[in-house]
Amino acid sequence: MGSFNMIKATLPGMKRSRKDRGPGSISLMSSQAGQVGIYGYTAYSASKFGLRGLAEALQQEVIGDNIHVSLVFPPDTKTPGLVEENKRKPQLTSIIAASSSAMTADEVAKKALDGIKSGSFIIPCNSEGILLSMATAGLSPQRSYLMAFVEVVAAGILRFAALCFQWNLYRSIEKSRMQKN
């Protein structure tokens, strides 16, 4: 709700000021856990998935006002918050999170700013994020014809890879549960 309320408060002023200036930008910080549900992150993933719906609907509403929306999907980011989170994170969640390398806050900020400047809607931050973005493109806006083509061509292959990953993940969850019992 914080992102929604901030947008609601600033959007009227942004719309008024677009007449005399170039395109405006609204950027929302999601997470790779907002592209795919992750064990141990039920509430977190849900809130980050919600940002995607907000961004997609908002982009449709403001594109005519020359305002571009961007949605950033960083992996774990090396911050003091992550250090604290790792102390309480379930072991299986740690194993899953390790499949996508963590980035520094400066690296995420640079990727986000570069993506915003280029007018990208989806901004992945690492190679895993690029694959996740293609695999979960759905009906999200795509401003690059080349990336749209790549998403269409790669969709079947990425879906197969995602299913293999998911089946392996479910086996790991079941194995972990059996070890606890």
Side-chain angles (χ1 to χ4, degrees):
M1 289 304 298
S3 297
F4 174 81
N5 289 330
M6 180 65 75
I7 292 166
K8 186 176 177 183
T10 59
L11 193 56
M14 286 184 75
K15 286 182 176 182
R16 281 192 301 276
S17 69
R18 288 301 101 206
K19 295 173 184 154
D20 303 325
R21 298 169 42 191
S25 296
I26 297 172
S27 177
L28 298 168
M29 188 65 68
S30 185
S31 166
Q32 286 180 351
Q35 293 174 287
V36 60
I38 298 175
Y39 179 96
Y41 285 154
T42 304
Y44 183 76
S45 285
S47 68
K48 296 303 182 175
F49 269 85
L51 288 175
R52 184 177 190 134
L54 172 63
E56 288 182 6
L58 181 63
Q59 181 60 89
Q60 293 175 19
E61 293 178 11
V62 300
I63 195 68
D65 296 303
N66 202 19
I67 298 171
H68 295 266
V69 176
S70 294
L71 188 57
V72 185
F73 289 110
D76 279 346
T77 304
K78 298 174 187 172
T79 64
L82 181 63
V83 171
E84 289 302 312
E85 176 188 323
N86 285 338
K87 292 176 184 176
R88 293 181 285 288
K89 189 184 292 184
Q91 181 182 9
L92 191 54
T93 305
S94 296
I95 292 167
I96 295 166
S99 69
S100 182
S101 55
M103 296 176 68
T104 67
D106 286 344
E107 291 170 327
V108 170
K110 180 170 181 4
K111 290 283 187 181
L113 191 55
D114 290 346
I116 293 164
K117 286 179 180 177
S118 72
S120 297
F121 178 77
I122 297 289
I123 303 173
C125 293
N126 61 11
S127 56
E128 294 90 353
I130 292 168
L131 292 173
L132 277 173
S133 294
M134 287 190 289
T136 62
L139 294 175
S140 292
Q142 180 51 267
R143 295 190 183 103
S144 164
Y145 291 113
L146 175 61
M147 277 307 298
F149 177 76
V150 169
E151 287 170 357
V152 170
V153 170
I157 296 165
L158 287 172
R159 177 63 177 149
F160 178 74
L163 286 170
C164 291
F165 176 80
Q166 185 181 52
W167 293 330
N168 186 50
L169 175 62
Y170 283 4
R171 278 192 294 272
S172 298
I173 292 169
E174 185 62 28
K175 183 178 175 183
S176 175
R177 188 164 29 137
M178 292 178 104
Q179 287 175 349
K180 285 181 183 177
N181 294 335

